[in-house]
Amino acid sequence: MARRIDTADGRSALDAARADAPPRTATATAVRYLLQLLEEKAPGKSVEVRVPPFGAVQVIQGPAHTRGTPPNVVETDAMTWIALATGATAWPDAMAAGRISASGTRADISDLLPVRW
């Protein structure tokens, strides 16, 4: 992630993103802030976490991925990511509901959630 989001801006965006009709900019900033925290918590390049269209990070130590489709990918929508990253939704529940696509042997990132915020 190129631009660092400071804690105050991230928390403010999270508060706004949890409203009934959150502004797109607040949702985008909240998603990117939580991805940033995940990247800080589990640095590495073996698993790609995608939250289209707002962002993606590579995390977890292990074999680095550099080109093409990564072997370990987690993808979800913005509101599911916010719920997972803040502890409002548990990984198994989101998986059972089909709200997460996780492929690869290292794609279960449930032990990293929630991220601190």
Side-chain angles (χ1 to χ4, degrees):
M1 301 196 64
R3 184 178 78 87
R4 305 283 313 151
I5 299 167
D6 74 27
T7 302
D9 290 342
R11 289 183 177 177
S12 176
L14 275 171
D15 290 340
R18 289 188 235 176
D20 285 337
R24 182 175 169 84
T25 56
T27 301
T29 300
V31 164
R32 291 177 185 132
Y33 175 65
L34 293 168
L35 287 171
Q36 174 182 297
L37 293 180
L38 178 65
E39 190 174 36
E40 291 170 2
K41 185 174 188 177
K45 299 219 178 267
S46 68
V47 178
E48 186 165 292
V49 179
R50 300 173 179 169
V51 185
F54 301 117
V57 293
Q58 290 186 354
V59 296
I60 304 175
Q61 294 295 323
H65 165 73
T66 56
R67 294 177 141 206
T69 302
N72 300 289
V73 176
V74 175
E75 187 167 323
T76 190
D77 64 274
M79 296 317 290
T80 300
W81 170 243
I82 291 169
L84 287 166
T86 61
T89 297
W91 179 272
D93 296 335
M95 283 293 290
R99 294 172 29 207
I100 301 170
S101 170
S103 62
T105 58
R106 305 186 74 165
D108 182 344
I109 61 167
S110 60
D111 59 329
L112 299 173
L113 301 172
V115 297
R116 67 171 171 69
W117 58 277

